[in-house]
Amino acid sequence: MDRKFHLAVAQVGGIQPDEDRSTVVRRLVDLLDDAHRQAASFVVFPELTLTTFFPRYWAEDRDDMHSFFETEMPSAEVKSLFDRAAELEIGFYLGYAELTADGRRYNTSILVDSSGAVVGKYRKIHLPGHAERIEGLRAQHLEKRYFEVGDLGFGVFDVDGVKFGMCLCNDRRWPEVYRVLALQGADVVVLGYNTPTEVPGWREEPHAKMETHLLSLRAGAYQNAVWVAAAGKSGDEDGAHMIGGSAIVAPSGEVLAKARTEDDEVVVAEVDLDYSQSYRESVFNFEAHRRPEHYSLIVDRVGRGEPLPVSFD
Ligand code: CDT
């Protein structure tokens, strides 16, 4: 990719529990074609793109959820997406549920380059929700039950000459994620999400849900001089509503493109990697201004605690 290229986020409308992988993949290929018509050379798909957001369902036996997981990538059904993307010479990011050969379960994303090769993998680290059934809910949020904490760290990968960092959904709310990616030279941070309007134990007005989603993307982009592109699965899934708002944010923190609907929709923006440079050489010149000797609490302490002693005259 050149220093300037068109980046697309492919928002995916609700996927119902009875919708099979082939039907979903056909929708993704349509979105890819649409992105190609809009000159995109990279497309971001959502988190757990291939199925309904299954952590809303309770299963006593975790193995009962295996039908929602992929044991290989590309699987037979997903291969047509890989083939079409390679034909169009488009790279992409795709989120899916991964079941490894030794039985481990992860909420995973991959980066695929324009030749169809998988060049990066991420396994979600900030897993929200709960591990046990909560009675009386219309929808559970059982990511802590069905997934292990990712074991690959926050990696940055070269995709067709551009450095991409990945994260997934809830990760976007944590500032450490963007900083760890930016410190590795990420130019673009890509992520997929599923954000239900109703989340157990998380009381927030629907308008605030959209606000905090965009705020997180904008702060991450601005404070780290990176581009951020986020694709959601949105709208109604089996009676549960998820926010839209798939968006592309510039290093200025400005939202350059945002989905208008809660359906399948492609939004595109032109990325100019040189635009990050002015931020990297001024206000967020890390080498000149960061003071990591004063940040050790960030890694030494997980939760809130007592103030540290400060001696002064
Ligand atoms: N999928 C995901 O991480 N969703 C969360 C909302 C649920 S938090 C219990 C998010 O941060 O959007």
Side-chain angles (χ1 to χ4, degrees), residues 47 53 124 128-129 141 143 169-170 172-173 194-196 199 202:
E47 174 192 44
F53 187 66
K124 188 174 180 181
H141 198 108
E143 286 193 61
C169 196
N170 192 257
R172 74 194 187 285
R173 304 183 191 275
N194 286 267
T195 299
V199 172
W202 181 359

Side-chain angles (χ1 to χ4, degrees), residues 94-259:
L94 180 73
Y96 63 98
E98 177 189 16
L99 178 61
T100 68
D102 58 353
R104 313 198 83 110
R105 303 173 182 88
Y106 297 104
N107 187 341
T108 294
S109 61
I110 50 170
L111 289 168
V112 180
D113 74 10
S114 61
S115 74
V118 176
V119 293
K121 181 179 270 196
Y122 169 68
R123 290 172 172 153
K124 188 174 180 181
I125 287 175
H126 296 99
L127 294 174
H130 45 105
E132 296 305 324
R133 184 191 183 99
I134 301 176
E135 294 302 330
L137 294 179
R138 273 192 296 188
Q140 310 280 321
H141 198 108
L142 291 160
E143 286 193 61
K144 284 196 193 301
R145 181 173 190 80
Y146 299 131
F147 302 116
E148 292 181 43
V149 173
D151 59 350
L152 300 176
F154 295 101
V156 171
F157 305 91
D158 187 304
V159 184
D160 300 319
V162 175
K163 290 200 179 70
F164 280 80
M166 282 186 279
C167 65
L168 276 159
C169 196
N170 192 257
D171 290 320
R172 74 194 187 285
R173 304 183 191 275
W174 299 91
E176 297 87 348
V177 174
Y178 301 91
R179 184 54 54 88
V180 168
L181 293 171
L183 284 169
Q184 298 172 76
D187 290 314
V188 186
V189 174
V190 285
L191 64 106
Y193 62 93
N194 286 267
T195 299
T197 305
E198 281 182 37
V199 172
W202 181 359
R203 292 174 63 82
E204 205 173 37
E205 292 287 320
H207 75 270
K209 274 247 153 62
M210 179 58 71
E211 194 69 32
T212 55
H213 154 66
L214 294 172
L215 176 67
S216 302
L217 305 181
R218 296 181 59 198
Y222 171 63
Q223 293 173 344
N224 296 283
V226 292
W227 293 80
V228 175
K233 189 133 63 55
S234 79
D236 176 85
E237 279 196 346
D238 201 12
H241 178 261
M242 292 184 297
I243 68 166
S246 299
I248 298 171
V249 181
S252 57
E254 291 164 294
V255 177
L256 295 192
K258 184 159 84 67

Side-chain angles (χ1 to χ4, degrees), residues 45-108:
F45 290 107
E47 174 192 44
L48 301 174
T49 310
L50 302 171
T51 67
T52 201
F53 187 66
F54 66 88
R56 82 170 65 89
Y57 304 118
W58 167 257
E60 184 72 44
D61 184 350
R62 290 171 174 80
D63 292 355
D64 289 348
M65 294 309 228
H66 277 181
S67 63
F68 292 107
F69 285 75
E70 313 301 315
T71 53
E72 56 178 345
M73 189 53 64
S75 61
E77 294 95 337
V78 179
K79 192 163 179 315
S80 57
L81 177 67
F82 275 65
D83 290 347
R84 183 68 179 146
E87 196 180 323
L88 299 174
E89 298 185 351
I90 293 180
F92 65 93
Y93 161 106
L94 180 73
Y96 63 98
E98 177 189 16
L99 178 61
T100 68
D102 58 353
R104 313 198 83 110
R105 303 173 182 88
Y106 297 104
N107 187 341
T108 294

